[in-house]
Each structure stands twice: as C-alpha cells, then as structure tokens.
Amino acid sequence: MPNTEFSSENDADQRPEAGAVPGPGSLNGTRRAAITALAEAVQPVSDELGARFASHGQQLALVGGPVRDALLGRRSNDVDLTTDAVPSRILELVDGWADSVWTVGIEFGTVGLRKGGHQLEITTYRSESYSPKSRKPDVAYGTDIHDDLFRRDFTVNAMAVRLPELEFVDPFGGLADLEAGVLRTPGRPEDSFSDDPLRIMRAVRFAAQLGFTLAPEVAEAARGMADRLSIVSAERVRDELTKLMVSPDPRRGIELMVDLGIAEYVLPEIPGLRLEIDEHHRHKDVYEHSLTVLDQALDLERSRGHEPDLVLRLAALLHDVGKPKTREFEGGGRVTFHHHEVVGASMSRKRLTALRFPKDVVSDVSTLVGLHLRFHGYGKGEWTDSAVRRYARDAGSQLERLHILTRADCTTRNRRKAAALSKAYDDIERRIGKLAEQEELDRIRPDLDGNEIQEVLGLSPGPVVGKAYRFMLELRLENGPMGKEEAAAELRAWAAEHL
C-alpha cells in the first residue's frame, strides 16, 4: 500500500515564471480521499513502481488527466506518469517488472508498458515545440517536474502526485481553476499555443467535455492564433474533433470553434451555414438549425439507450452543409435548396476524408447525409410497402441512425406539425419492423441469384446477367418475396422483351 499521509507542494517561489497563478493550498479531506483512491486504483503502479524508481534515485509521478479526473470525481482509464529518467533509463527500471513493454513513442520520450490490468505510459520530463512549418514536435528532456508541468497545456492538467509518497504537486493553481471550471495555461497562452497549436483544439474540446469556460486571455489567444492549426497533422486534429463530438456537450465545443475562428481551419462548412436561411424560416439560419438537430440527436441517442455515437453526431452536424451551394431564390421571397442532401453527402465525404477519418466513418456519415430527406417523401402516409422496403434497404446498416437523424431534423416550433411528423415517422418505423419480421429487410436479395438467372435464361457470365439481376432485385423490392417458379416466369417475360 502507498503511504496515505499527504503533503501538498505548492511553492510559488519554485515557479518557472513569475506571475503564475498561485495554488489553492493543501487538499481538503474529499480531495485527499480522491487522490488516495486514485493511487489504490492503479496499484501496484503507485507503490511498487514508485518505490522502484525512488530506490534508484529517479522521480516518478502520476500526472495530467488521471489526477484531474480523480479530483473531479470522474473515473479515468488512463495511467499517465512522468519522470526525470530518460527513456533508456525507464526501460532499465521496468525490465523484469512490467509484463510487456513497447517503444512506439520512445522518440518523443514515452515508454508504454502493461502490468496486470493496467496499461501505462511513462514520459520523461520534456519540452515540446513546433517550428513555424513543422507538423511534428521537437522534443527536449528536462530534469525538474515544475518545468515539465509549466509546459503542459492547461493548469488543470498541470497537477501531479509524486510516487510512492503521494505528494500533491500544483505550482500553477490547477486545483483552484478546476473548482472554478476555468481553463487557463500555466504561462502565457500565446507561448503555449505556439509550442503546440493543437492545444487550441484541446481548449474547445475540454470545454465540451468538462463544461469549462475559457479564461479571456486563452480565448483571445486561440482566436488570434487559430491559423496555426494548419501546421498540425490532420490525424491529430481528427482525434481532438472526435473527442469533442462524443463529449457530453459537443454543441458547446462547436460554437466555440465557430466563434473563435477555429472552425475555419477544421470544419469550414459549419461557419459557412451561418448566413443561410433554412427553407422553413423557423430558425434565424441553418447554422442554428444544425446545432439544434445535433442537440436533439443526442437526446434521442440517450433515450434509446445508445452510447455516444460519432457517426450519428457528425451526420447531425453536417446534414445541411450542402445548402449554401444549392440555395436559390424564387418568387415571393421563397428560398429553395434542391438536392442539397446529394451535394451535402459529397461535401461531407470530402471533408472527413481530408481529416483522415476511417473509411467506414466517411461512408456511413455521407450515407446518412444523403438519405436524411428521404422520409419527407412519405407525405401523409401514402408510402407503399415497396417504398418502405427501399427505404430500409438503402439505409442498410445505418437504419437506426437514420431513424434518429430524421426525427432530430424536425425542429419546427409548431406543436401540431411536429406531432404529425412524429406520428408519420412512428408509422414508418412500425411498418419497417413488421416487414422486417416477414422479409429480413436488411438482407433483401432477389428471389433468383446469379447462377439461377444464368440457368433459367441459358446465359454465360457477363453484363447481361448483371442487368437481369438488377431487374430481379427491383421486382423483389416492388412485390416482396416470390416463389422460385413465379420469379422464373417473371424473368423469362422480362427477357423476352429486353434481350
């Protein structure tokens, strides 16, 4: 067991820069208990590994997110540690103790390892910075934990717990900012964002994830330096955007991105919506409408018992991005956006590909954007069984997400109209469910496969078989399942006319 007697290191005289925000003093009982619980949760890391480093004259501390989350009463799956030992020394010290070790990040000073059920990262005290045109950070090692904490992104992540003695280290007032719900940088935000411009994205991500506000100087620096994001790799930007989108309040992060000019370098299609009036004139612009759809998609996602869904949330945010390119003005002040779903699907695919999202995410989001208006052809309930089959088949694996997106896209304040739309969609879902029980809609195939088509028509493999297959598929969608004999008769009749 680690020693649970605390000291709280918060010596202003040891700060690397005068004027850093002073810390809050010693931890209260609740905070002490949180740190003790964190140490117990990561055993044997907190006692065995801490003692191992200490016995060889090296420092080791829990740092960053795990400490922050423990003080917030949140569970964290991360175990991040920092040390004055250089990577080669870390490897020596964990040899024979760790179950496995990997060195993928060793050029950046990080050694990964596994011990029991814990996956750890140990990083040498360091400094990271970008040259003006670099996409990768330069790394220099340090020897003092205060210097290391000073170079971290925000004060709430610049707190540490020394191991094995559980000494709380907070030289820049991180605990006070944590309690105030404010994001500040240990030093000047301009210096912090210059060292690693991705921290601009992290600021809005933490705002969405933790419900924090940005200190005025942090917001101003982010606004003035947003263009620096252009030197950061698309993969790193994508990872931050992903974390933002699956946070409890992605709207908060998106609004900050737009207001601070960050979105222009990440998702420029979103601020481009602000001046576009939506076709129903129910919101002051399509931007506000899109954020409302995102909020409503989250509510439906939760009410249906789903985990945070990146694909659904991206589709909700991007579903109307095709409107600016398709806007037309007609008589009587009417504005139309014909085929904006088709244009929007293409734009979504292009943007998400540029951000290096996985191919399945790109495909699924663009499919949903392309289908989000399909329901509005349903009208007052006149869809045939054939139309319902096509709706389900075209949605495929995205059907549940399409249900949520379509419902979320109803933002009218007219209660009667909203109720009518909800009732109509209830009917769609009911009919899909009923037909699915009968026909396995998600796996609709023609009644005759390619080999059977060739046999019935006496054909060899070739384009004509594909043409016949497509006819049989349309027949299946139109009429539902048929027997083999009836399907063969229909195929022969079609062939007599078309072949």
Side-chain angles (χ1 to χ4, degrees):
M1 284 288 293
N3 175 18
T4 56
E5 292 298 320
F6 274 77
S7 64
S8 178
E9 182 180 327
N10 185 35
D11 187 349
D13 292 336
Q14 299 184 53
R15 284 184 223 129
E17 176 177 294
V21 180
S26 60
L27 294 169
N28 62 27
T30 301
R31 303 296 192 187
R32 289 171 183 257
I35 294 299
T36 300
L38 171 62
E40 292 176 348
V42 299
Q43 284 202 57
V45 178
S46 55
D47 50 6
E48 288 183 13
L49 190 60
R52 193 179 185 96
F53 271 63
S55 67
H56 288 82
Q58 304 287 174
Q59 302 171 23
L60 186 69
L62 287 161
V63 70
V67 176
R68 179 201 68 222
D69 287 344
L71 295 171
L72 285 172
R74 293 160 49 98
R75 295 185 62 179
S76 175
N77 296 322
D78 299 327
V79 183
D80 295 333
L81 300 120
T82 188
T83 179
D84 60 345
V86 296
S88 59
R89 181 62 168 156
I90 295 173
L91 291 173
E92 292 175 3
L93 292 174
V94 302
D95 184 38
W97 181 84
D99 297 331
S100 60
V101 177
W102 54 94
T103 58
V104 174
I106 199 164
E107 65 176 308
F108 301 114
T110 297
V111 172
L113 59 97
R114 182 177 290 105
K115 177 67 172 179
H118 297 296
Q119 186 167 304
L120 327 172
E121 286 192 346
I122 306 176
T123 301
T124 305
Y125 298 158
R126 63 185 180 179
S127 163
E128 283 188 2
S129 62
Y130 284 78
S131 60
K133 297 182 180 180
S134 172
R135 285 179 176 268
K136 292 185 178 181
D138 298 321
V139 177
Y141 299 136
T143 58
D144 184 87
I145 192 170
H146 290 77
D147 292 339
D148 182 77
L149 295 177
F150 180 70
R151 296 182 178 104
R152 291 182 179 261
D153 51 7
F154 303 106
T155 61
V156 297
N157 295 326
M159 299 179 288
V161 177
R162 292 185 188 272
L163 300 177
E165 64 270 29
L166 301 188
E167 179 183 54
F168 180 61
V169 185
D170 179 24
F172 306 110
L175 183 55
D177 287 339
L178 198 68
E179 291 172 341
V182 176
L183 285 175
R184 301 183 192 277
T185 53
R188 289 185 349 117
E190 293 82 1
D191 296 335
S192 181
F193 294 160
S194 180
D195 284 345
D196 185 353
L198 188 67
R199 291 172 176 176
I200 297 169
M201 275 292 291
R202 283 192 194 136
V204 297
R205 189 253 292 184
F206 281 127
Q209 196 173 56
L210 302 175
F212 283 15
T213 59
L214 274 56
E217 69 275 13
V218 171
E220 284 306 307
R223 179 179 288 109
M225 301 178 67
D227 63 328
R228 288 277 288 161
L229 282 168
S230 61
I231 73 165
V232 182
S233 70
E235 290 83 359
R236 295 184 75 212
V237 173
R238 173 204 63 207
D239 290 346
E240 285 300 322
L241 180 61
T242 296
K243 292 173 184 177
L244 186 159
M245 291 303 298
V246 298
S247 72
D249 190 5
R251 175 177 184 145
R252 182 186 185 91
I254 295 297
E255 287 179 321
L256 274 172
M257 286 177 61
V258 171
D259 292 346
L260 298 177
I262 298 168
E264 297 287 350
Y265 301 94
V266 180
L267 287 173
E269 296 80 4
I270 302 305
L273 296 173
R274 283 184 295 180
L275 301 179
E276 305 303 323
I277 303 170
D278 84 295
E279 70 269 37
H280 302 297
H281 301 277
R282 298 184 189 116
H283 301 272
K284 60 184 180 181
D285 54 37
V286 176
Y287 171 67
E288 290 292 337
H289 166 75
S290 298
L291 294 178
T292 301
V293 172
L294 176 60
D295 284 340
Q296 294 185 167
L298 264 66
D299 290 341
L300 288 165
E301 177 188 88
R302 293 162 183 153
S303 68
R304 292 188 175 212
H306 300 316
E307 294 296 317
D309 187 338
L310 174 65
V311 167
L312 172 66
R313 295 177 180 201
L314 284 172
L317 179 64
L318 298 172
H319 77 284
D320 274 348
V321 294
K323 284 187 172 179
K325 287 189 176 181
T326 58
R327 181 174 62 166
E328 293 183 358
F329 298 95
E330 298 184 352
R334 188 167 180 266
V335 182
T336 62
F337 303 94
H338 295 306
H339 306 300
H340 75 268
E341 74 280 11
V342 177
V343 173
S346 176
M347 292 173 64
S348 298
R349 185 179 298 109
K350 183 177 180 181
R351 176 56 54 197
L352 297 180
T353 298
L355 286 169
R356 305 291 192 271
F357 275 95
K359 290 182 179 179
D360 59 333
V361 173
V362 175
S363 175
D364 292 346
V365 172
S366 59
T367 294
L368 289 166
V369 173
L371 290 174
H372 82 273
L373 284 185
R374 184 71 64 87
F375 160 70
H376 296 285
Y378 186 73
K380 297 180 180 179
E382 66 270 16
W383 271 18
T384 62
D385 283 352
S386 171
V388 175
R389 289 189 194 99
R390 294 175 191 276
Y391 186 80
R393 181 180 179 276
D394 289 348
S397 63
Q398 302 308 304
L399 183 59
E400 172 64 8
R401 286 170 171 150
L402 183 58
H403 288 333
I404 295 175
L405 177 59
T406 303
R407 289 181 180 276
D409 195 25
C410 175
T411 58
T412 177
R413 296 190 180 106
N414 184 318
R415 293 184 179 181
R416 182 179 299 176
K417 191 165 188 177
L421 287 169
S422 179
K423 183 179 179 181
Y425 206 84
D426 288 343
D427 186 51
I428 283 284
E429 287 205 64
R430 179 189 60 78
R431 291 178 64 188
I432 288 174
K434 184 177 179 180
L435 286 172
E437 291 177 5
Q438 301 168 355
E439 305 178 23
E440 297 186 283
L441 289 180
D442 58 340
R443 293 193 296 273
I444 285 179
R445 299 291 185 272
D447 292 280
L448 301 176
D449 63 23
N451 290 329
E452 291 169 324
I453 289 171
Q454 292 177 59
E455 183 179 346
V456 169
L457 298 181
L459 297 172
S460 299
V464 174
V465 177
K467 186 176 180 181
Y469 184 92
R470 289 190 290 274
F471 163 72
M472 294 303 299
L473 179 58
E474 288 298 312
L475 195 66
R476 170 68 174 80
L477 290 168
E478 188 68 30
N479 297 331
M482 298 181 293
K484 296 288 186 182
E485 291 184 7
E486 183 181 357
E490 292 282 354
L491 177 61
R492 291 188 187 98
W494 173 83
E497 184 178 346
H498 293 88
L499 297 183

